[in-house]
Every structure is written in C-alpha cells, then in structure tokens.
Amino acid sequence: MQEKIAEEEMVTPGEVLGKGSEVKAGRGAYIAPYNNTVYASLTGRRCIVPSSPESPDQRPTVEVIGHKAHGPVPEPGCVVIARVTKVMARMASADIMCVGSKAVREKFSGIIRQQDVRATEIDKVDMHTSFRPGDIVKASVLSLGDARAYYLSTAQNELGVVSAESMAGGTMVPISWTEMQCPLTGQIEQRKVAKVGA
Amino acid sequence: MAAKAGASPATYSPSPTTYKKNRPPIFTDVDWVRPDGRDFHQCRPAFLRTGAVNAASGSAYAEFGNTKVMVSIFGPRESKKAMIYSDIGRLNCNASDNKEISSQLHKSLEGAIMLDTFPKTTVDVFALVLESGGCDLPVVISCASLALADAGIMMYDLVAAVSVVCTSSCLGKNLVIDPVSEEENYQDGGLMITCLPSRNEVTQLTITGEWSTPKIHEAMELCLDACSKLGKIMRSCLKESSSTSQE
C-alpha cells in the first residue's frame, strides 16, 4: 500500500505545489500547461503519494486532502442508496440519498430503466415485481443520464432492494433473489432483492 | 392664439446664464482628506471570516470599513429540471435581486471555477450586502471567492477585486483607491479589476467614465498591486479558519 504523507501546512487554491517535471497532479491539484507548474485547487493539507515501483513514470503524485468535504455528487461507477418514488411500465424513478457511505445534502434524481434492473432476461422484466414506491435500493450509477436524472442500474447480485415495507406496514425479510416476506402477516411480495453481507 | 407682434418665438434652449453649469468643486485646493484618514493609495483594512452560515456548503463574511457583505454557497446541487443538460457545471449568482451586481459577480467568478469538476449540477452563490459603504462589488467578489474556497469547490485560484476612481474636478487630480460612497459619487471615472493573484491573470476589467490612457495604466498597476496584497490576506484568513476547525 502506498503511504500518504500529509503535511502540517495548509494550502489554498492557486498555491504552487511543485513543478510539473517533478510531481504529478492528483486530486485537488491541477497542472497549468503554459508554465508546467502544479497548483492547488482546494483548501486543505498537501499530501504526497509516492509512485508505485513498477510504473514507468516515477514522479510522486501530490494531492490536497480537503479539510471540509462538501456534499458528495454522484459519479459514474459509484454505488448509491436511493429511495424509489415512482414505478412505471418501463422505468422506476428514485431519489439518490447517499453516495457511497456519505449522505448527500440535497437529493439527486435517478432513473432505473427496465433493461438495467437485472442481468438476465432483461426484456421480460416486470417493473412492479422488482420495485415498489418507498423501497430503499442499492444501485450503481451508470452515467450522468439526461438533464432530469442520473441513470442507475441494479443489474448485479449485491444491488437491488435493501429494505422494503410490506402492504401491512412491517419491514420485510428477504427470502430469495426475487421474494421478500412480511413478518407480521407472512405475505410474500416480489422484489429484485440485493444480496447483502458476506 | 396669435402671438404678440415682436415677441421672440418660444424656445426650449436653456438660458445662457445657466448653460455652463459645472459641478461646483467641493474643495478648490487639492487637500481633500479622506473621511477615514487614509492615503489616496491606501486600501481599507480587511476583516474576513469564513464559515459564518452553517446551513450552507460554504460561506464568508467580509468587512472593509463600512462595507459589510455576507456570501453563502449552496452546491453542487441538482440543476432545475427545466435546464438543458450540460456536461460542465453551472454557476448561478444572486445578489439580493440586484441584476447588475449578480451578472458582474458571475462574470468574474466563472473564469476561476473549474466547472467541469461538477457536471450537470449547479453551484448557487447568494450575496447579501448588509451595509453599503462604497466599493460594494469588489468586496462582494472577494468575499464570494473566499466562500467558494470554504465550500470546497475546485478553483484555479482565489479571486481578488479592487476598484479605483479617478477624480479631476472635485477631489483634485487624483486616483483614489478603494473609494467610500462619498468618493464614488464625485468620481469622473471608475476602474475595477478582478484578478487571480498568484497566477497573475485578470478575470474581469470594468472601466467607466472619463479616463486618459496614462491614467488607465497607472490605475491598473495600482489595482493589480492591491489585488496581490488582498490575495495574501485572503489566503491567511483561509488557512487560519481551516486550522482552527481542525483542532
């Protein structure tokens, strides 16, 4: 594992972190092409990550570790927790509440399309047997989507409904890949269940 | 009704005595003393603090003499549904519904923010002028860039803004830096520069009124020098506030 050495001194946006010939620009830093200098773009502590021994480029990477993380923004490839708001024939809308393990300050809109619900038999997916409004789902962000919503996908074993409420009002227990059972009434409801745990 | 014979025709031109009405010089000699006792080329002391507003992602408060300004930043957050998709971020500036300050604030900040680090989302900048003691726009701009740095928005550099007025009739032939409201009222022309101090780049230059070329050069040099000093003050404020929040 590469060790990060965080320095004591704070840097502010626009401060010079090093020359482009000696260091690479990591997160929180950028390189100005016209004078080949690496500047900071955030307020925080400077941190130097040594380069891995196999890589051809032996320059260490300089990063700025932000002292104050503003609310996270969904990015393609990250796993998010969302609450389903609407279920329609070919897609479900969901409000993204957490990105990774951090809660967002204000919710983002996401969409799970019919073809992104599961990996197999994607044209035979019935949205109403996969999600219901109010379900908490774990999904991954496929792309930035369009102006209105991010595109989400639950097409993996560990993605899907994490927590759902039955029609009777109890929190359901997953019993298979596609079914959850209400502890109060014993009724079985269909969902696209996420495999949680080891 | 017929005009009387021999009467001069009705005319709207002003009578000769009031024709050449100049602004009366306030002080006929050059010894205008600034209300707060500053030198003509001396800026007001700056009081800057970040983290004033808890509900916002980032905020800053600036007090330059009698000009008190507070800026809060919200974002990056979801753009309104009506907006078209954009693969870079958006900046939305609002200075309590003052369109002019809002649009100038937008122009000066958008050159400094890395918009492509937050695609599709919007960063909202809300500026509130608590007390207007002259030189409002430059103080708002400097305060906004501090607030953006406090909010963790990636920027190329901090933005420092300074303005200078030139007066030739009233306060003697002088360039007055960081004017108070009284001095702004007597100006012949104003010049405002917003620049990125450590990269020595200008994001906005606004010149109004009557200027001669040598005066413009002198004023620009004054402003750029003051901007670099203001930049140092802003950096030390950021470092101080983030090291106290770490403890």
Side-chain angles (χ1 to χ4, degrees), chain B residues 183-196:
Chain B
E183 292 159 351
E184 274 183 337
N185 289 338
Y186 297 142
Q187 68 177 348
D188 275 345
L191 182 147
M192 181 188 76
I193 284 192
T194 69
C195 81
L196 312 181

Side-chain angles (χ1 to χ4, degrees), chain A residues 6-11 42-48 63-67, chain B residues 242-243 246:
Chain A
E7 298 180 9
E8 283 299 312
E9 213 185 285
M10 307 284 301
V11 292
L42 287 178
T43 313
R45 295 208 141 81
R46 181 163 76 158
C47 156
I48 302 192
E63 292 181 350
V64 179
I65 303 188
H67 75 286
Chain B
S242 39
S243 42
Q246 288 266 334

Side-chain angles (χ1 to χ4, degrees), chain A residues 13-14 30 106 109 144 146, chain B residues 77-78 120 156 198-199 235:
Chain A
Y30 71 96
E106 294 185 33
S109 297
L144 296 176
D146 55 20
Chain B
R77 57 183 182 182
E78 206 172 29
K120 212 171 91 138
Y156 292 110
S198 78
R199 288 173 52 126
R235 280 187 212 288

Side-chain angles (χ1 to χ4, degrees), chain B residues 51-164:
Chain B
V53 177
N54 278 333
S57 306
S59 60
Y61 171 73
E63 207 177 287
F64 282 51
N66 281 337
T67 305
K68 301 176 173 81
V69 162
M70 184 176 284
V71 175
S72 17
I73 309 287
F74 291 90
R77 57 183 182 182
E78 206 172 29
S79 302
K80 289 196 173 27
K81 294 288 199 300
M83 304 283 207
I84 313 168
Y85 174 81
S86 93
D87 48 5
I88 55 169
R90 282 196 187 88
L91 178 65
N92 171 35
C93 294
N94 185 302
S96 36
D97 295 332
N98 185 330
K99 287 241 164 216
E100 201 189 303
I101 294 193
S102 306
S103 76
Q104 298 218 292
L105 183 61
H106 187 280
K107 283 194 201 90
S108 53
L109 291 177
E110 68 180 346
I113 300 182
M114 294 183 178
L115 290 171
D116 46 5
T117 53
F118 48 96
K120 212 171 91 138
T121 50
T122 299
V123 168
D124 289 314
V125 178
F126 293 104
L128 177 64
V129 177
L130 298 162
E131 190 182 329
S132 165
C135 211
D136 293 347
L137 181 57
V139 177
V140 167
I141 292 173
S142 310
C143 191
S145 95
L146 257 190
L148 283 167
D150 183 49
I153 310 280
M154 291 200 179
M155 298 195 287
Y156 292 110
D157 195 0
L158 294 176
V159 183
V162 168
S163 80
V164 146

Side-chain angles (χ1 to χ4, degrees), chain A:
Chain A
M1 281 294 282
Q2 291 166 347
E3 281 184 12
K4 291 190 180 185
I5 318 146
E7 298 180 9
E8 283 299 312
E9 213 185 285
M10 307 284 301
V11 292
T12 52
E15 279 191 28
V16 176
L17 295 180
K19 294 229 43 100
S21 48
E22 293 157 23
V23 286
K24 274 189 292 197
R27 201 191 162 273
Y30 71 96
I31 185 160
Y34 62 89
N35 61 0
N36 208 30
T37 319
V38 176
Y39 294 96
S41 62
L42 287 178
T43 313
R45 295 208 141 81
R46 181 163 76 158
C47 156
I48 302 192
V49 179
S51 62
S52 56
E54 316 87 44
S55 70
D57 189 357
Q58 279 298 306
R59 293 176 300 170
T61 308
V62 63
E63 292 181 350
V64 179
I65 303 188
H67 75 286
K68 181 177 179 178
H70 61 78
V73 173
E75 276 164 26
C78 61
V79 173
V80 299
I81 312 274
R83 178 191 294 137
V84 176
T85 51
K86 268 192 294 200
V87 179
M88 292 167 280
R90 292 203 196 285
M91 60 177 167
S93 305
D95 286 344
I96 299 175
M97 321 284 287
C98 309
V99 175
S101 55
K102 291 190 239 176
V104 294
R105 279 181 176 256
E106 294 185 33
K107 62 165 183 60
F108 293 91
S109 297
I111 275 189
I112 309 172
R113 295 171 299 175
Q114 184 190 14
Q115 63 265 37
D116 298 323
V117 173
R118 59 179 194 222
T120 55
E121 290 188 333
I122 55 177
D123 48 342
K124 294 197 181 65
V125 169
D126 181 8
M127 294 305 291
H128 292 280
T129 59
S130 309
F131 305 113
R132 287 291 164 108
D135 290 354
I136 309 292
V137 303
K138 191 180 251 189
S140 78
V141 178
L142 274 181
S143 71
L144 296 176
D146 55 20
R148 286 167 299 179
Y150 290 85
Y151 285 167
L152 304 175
S153 159
T154 54
Q156 284 172 49
N157 286 347
E158 53 285 347
L159 302 177
V161 175
V162 172
S163 166
E165 227 180 58
S166 73
M167 287 188 263
T171 308
M172 291 198 287
V173 172
I175 53 178
S176 80
W177 292 110
T178 55
E179 286 169 340
M180 293 181 109
Q181 186 172 31
C182 170
L184 304 174
T185 57
Q187 202 176 11
I188 293 179
E189 292 182 32
Q190 299 214 304
R191 298 286 197 279
K192 197 276 173 188
V193 182
K195 180 177 169 60
V196 177

